[in-house]
Amino acid sequence: MKKTVCVVLALLLALLCGCGGSKKAAPTRGEVTSEERQFAAPADGDLIAIFTTNLGEVRAVLYPDAAPMAVYNFVGLARTGYYNNTMIWRSQYGFAVQGGDVTGTGTGGSTIWSNNPYPLEADANLKHYAGALCAAFASGGDVTGGNSQFYFVTALPDSVDQTQQEQLAQNGYSESQIAAYAAAGGLPYLDNTDTVFGQVYQGMDVVDAMACVDTQQDEEGNDTWRPTEENTITIESVTISTYPGPTAEELAAQSESSDAAASESASTDGEAVG
């Protein structure tokens, strides 16, 4: 029942994006036919991440061969429950939705390497197309690198216009990459700045719903891109599996089983202490 409610909420939110207070129209994304890796269906056994959120479920395939440090860090943190019940603290329509900071402020982050940052892994075959799962890099003093924060690219389908496509051609992008950007939209100016380590293959409508929520403004009326309290987006859990992975129903059953076990353990501990 919980999963059904989440899906309904995601659909309702997607419908409401074009009206009401936010006035953000949820994009219509057609299927992209491309030879680029990020638009290929996952193969059996591929590493995937399943994001269970209060707006619905998002599934992304991961690329450990192309971005090993970003993937290992993300997977390692996810398996410890690091991302459970964290917030999407940035929801910027037409750009990205970002989370992975347990403080919920966008100023924190951690890594599996004693919190030391890891370097950029800009693979020439992975680009910031809409739906890309990317490592958010934080700068501080002389240290620049990735941590636990990540974002989904929510660029609109028409975001890479003809002028930009011509610039990509001049910068050595292949015809296939340019065509993919033209069809899917994206943020090509981040290709050599942040690491792409995954791609959404299911649940992009949920990601778009995240990008459509109302966000807060500061005292001067500038958008902070932070969802309002009424529109809080919660990442309930991140499950690491291999494609095709468990169904939503199986995930729900696993969650209920884990909750029951935790409750029983707490009860037993309480009796022992008493």
Side-chain angles (χ1 to χ4, degrees), residues 35-39 63 65-66 121-129 173-174 177 191-192 196 199:
E35 296 178 356
E36 293 303 301
R37 180 178 187 181
Q38 287 163 263
F39 299 101
Y63 304 121
D65 60 314
E121 297 171 293
D123 188 279
N125 295 313
L126 298 178
K127 303 299 181 183
H128 282 73
Y129 304 121
Y173 282 65
S174 69
Q177 291 170 336
D191 284 342
N192 296 311
V196 176
Q199 179 75 23

Side-chain angles (χ1 to χ4, degrees), residues 11-118:
L11 292 175
L12 286 175
L13 187 52
L15 290 173
L16 290 172
C17 278
C19 57
S22 70
K23 300 187 183 304
K24 301 170 185 175
T28 299
R29 298 188 186 275
E31 183 176 352
V32 177
T33 301
S34 173
E35 296 178 356
E36 293 303 301
R37 180 178 187 181
Q38 287 163 263
F39 299 101
D44 286 349
D46 280 352
L47 191 64
I48 64 171
I50 306 171
F51 300 78
T52 302
T53 82
N54 64 320
L55 295 186
E57 183 184 277
V58 179
R59 298 194 175 208
V61 63
L62 306 180
Y63 304 121
D65 60 314
M69 296 189 74
V71 171
Y72 295 158
N73 182 64
F74 176 81
V75 168
L77 292 173
R79 284 177 169 161
T80 66
Y82 181 89
Y83 294 114
N84 294 0
N85 299 311
T86 57
M87 307 295 145
I88 292 293
W89 64 267
R90 178 177 189 169
S91 177
Q92 189 167 350
Y93 180 73
F95 181 70
V97 293
Q98 185 168 336
D101 173 16
V102 293
T103 71
T105 64
T107 62
S110 183
T111 70
I112 59 175
W113 300 290
S114 301
N115 296 337
N116 290 312
Y118 56 88

Side-chain angles (χ1 to χ4, degrees), residues 140-166:
D142 295 328
V143 179
T144 300
N147 54 32
S148 57
Q149 291 197 44
F150 61 85
Y151 62 89
F152 295 105
V153 174
T154 60
L156 303 180
D158 59 354
S159 57
V160 181
D161 60 22
Q162 186 62 40
T163 298
Q164 291 175 295
Q165 292 171 38
E166 293 173 358

